[in-house]
Amino acid sequence: MKRTKLVFGAVLTATALAATACGNSDPTTTDTGGQAPSDTIVVGSANFPENVLLATIYAEALKAGGVKVSTKLNIGSREAYIPGLKDGSIDLIPEYSGVLLQYFDSGATAVSSDDVFTALQDAVPSGLVVLDKSSAEDKDAIVVSQDTASQYNLTSIADLKPVAGDLTFGGPPEFKTRPDGIPGLAKNYGVTFGSYKTLDTGGPLTVSALKNGQVDAADLFTTDPSIPDNNFVVLEDPQNNFAAQNVLPLINETKATDQVKTTLNAISAKLDTQTLTDLLKKVYAKEDPTTVATDWLSSVGLG
């Protein structure tokens, strides 16, 4: 990611304001603010609800353990927040193993959960470190409407090859250039879409565009409740264009104290895909992400 979901106006309004307050309404900007205080862990997030929720879980768990924490949520895409981690303006962010590996090593070939994690530990640049991976996984997926799937007899990404030239694809701007995005679809499946419509990161714009026929296929996330709610079809990925995407913390090594590592690794030990999906449904139902995070942490003895 990996990473990028329903219409939920109140949450989006709040997150948009947060992005503006951070000076990061542009999803590709690299301005994440000044150096983080030495006694504080600054927890950042990407600009989509699931990542905001995960960042909030990290932040609230650390606070419960007596760690001084501040947050910079909705920073933008990986191209925006990785420089912030490197320059120390943020310290910690929830990540997805497969897309993070490809970000650091565009030639990476690992696809299984364990192989991706092993390769990622070697690929992370000096000064940053990944902690334990959770079993929770949220992968990018190529999704079409039921009508489109029926019209073109689509069950797999490979089925798009003969018809993609007549179709419009929708996704975030970075999907056009990432190795597992448009280049990966061309490389692994020979799929080249007729046009690309730049939307949000698996958010309500993408869902609406797919639902209303403004795009024929789109990049959504596998934990997105809008997929079953709208009877969308997730196309199979037999060539493993999208590698394993386990949720895990990426942290500035200087802030990875034993206490911080123990707290974050305990979260990873408790977090699985079904739990993440259930928590995200609550966010899309307009529950406050902080409340969702603290309630779950308390329920598993980490609050």
Side-chain angles (χ1 to χ4, degrees):
M1 38 241 231
K2 226 217 228 161
R3 349 141 141 96
T4 335
K5 294 178 168 177
L6 274 175
V7 176
F8 62 148
V11 174
L12 276 183
T13 300
T15 54
L17 290 172
T20 304
C22 292
N24 290 292
S25 54
D26 177 358
T28 59
T29 181
T30 57
D31 178 15
T32 55
Q35 187 81 17
S38 60
D39 65 341
T40 302
I41 291 184
V42 179
V43 183
S45 85
N47 58 333
F48 59 95
E50 181 182 277
N51 204 256
V52 172
L53 173 63
L54 289 166
T56 304
I57 289 172
Y58 290 172
E60 294 301 318
L62 291 170
K63 288 179 187 177
V67 178
K68 190 174 180 181
V69 173
S70 66
T71 57
K72 291 183 179 179
L73 304 178
N74 291 285
I75 292 169
S77 68
R78 190 167 290 107
E79 289 77 5
Y81 61 70
I82 293 295
L85 282 162
K86 290 180 177 179
D87 69 24
S89 54
I90 57 174
D91 299 308
L92 167 65
I93 203 155
E95 260 294 358
Y96 303 85
S97 59
V99 285
L100 185 62
L101 172 61
Q102 291 180 333
Y103 179 86
F104 289 131
D105 179 7
S106 61
T109 58
V111 294
S112 74
S113 178
D114 289 342
D115 287 349
V116 167
F117 184 62
T118 297
L120 178 59
Q121 292 174 86
D122 294 331
V124 172
S126 176
L128 302 180
V129 63
V130 288
L131 304 183
D132 290 355
K133 64 180 172 70
S134 70
S135 65
E137 189 175 13
D138 185 6
K139 301 177 74 167
D140 288 79
I142 304 304
V143 179
V144 298
S145 69
Q146 183 63 62
D147 286 346
T148 299
S150 299
Q151 180 180 355
Y152 297 106
N153 195 27
L154 304 176
T155 60
S156 162
I157 298 173
D159 297 330
L160 286 166
K161 183 176 179 179
V163 298
D166 297 324
L167 304 181
T168 297
F169 187 87
E174 60 272 13
F175 194 83
K176 293 178 72 172
T177 56
R178 283 181 176 171
D180 64 345
I182 294 299
L185 298 180
K187 177 183 176 182
N188 294 315
Y189 291 102
V191 169
T192 302
F193 288 97
S195 61
Y196 190 99
K197 187 174 182 64
T198 299
L199 300 167
D200 53 7
T201 309
L205 293 179
T206 302
V207 171
S208 178
L210 188 60
K211 190 175 179 180
N212 297 330
Q214 295 170 305
V215 299
D216 303 295
D219 173 40
L220 290 176
F221 301 116
T222 54
T223 58
D224 187 346
S226 71
I227 293 174
D229 287 350
N230 291 282
N231 201 27
F232 291 156
V233 176
V234 175
L235 299 182
E236 296 172 7
D237 180 21
Q239 297 300 319
N240 293 307
N241 180 70
F242 300 112
Q245 305 294 354
N246 296 93
V247 173
L248 79 179
L250 176 64
I251 188 169
N252 192 310
E253 194 168 19
T254 62
K255 299 293 182 72
T257 66
D258 288 344
Q259 179 187 2
V260 169
K261 289 190 288 187
T262 297
T263 298
L264 296 175
N265 287 339
I267 292 171
S268 291
K270 297 287 187 180
L271 191 65
D272 58 30
T273 301
Q274 188 58 58
T275 296
L276 180 57
T277 301
D278 291 343
L279 294 176
L280 189 58
K281 286 180 181 178
K282 294 181 179 182
V283 173
Y284 281 112
K286 300 185 181 180
E287 291 189 38
D288 177 59
T290 300
T291 301
V292 174
T294 55
D295 285 352
W296 178 72
L297 288 167
S298 295
S299 74
V300 295
L302 299 176

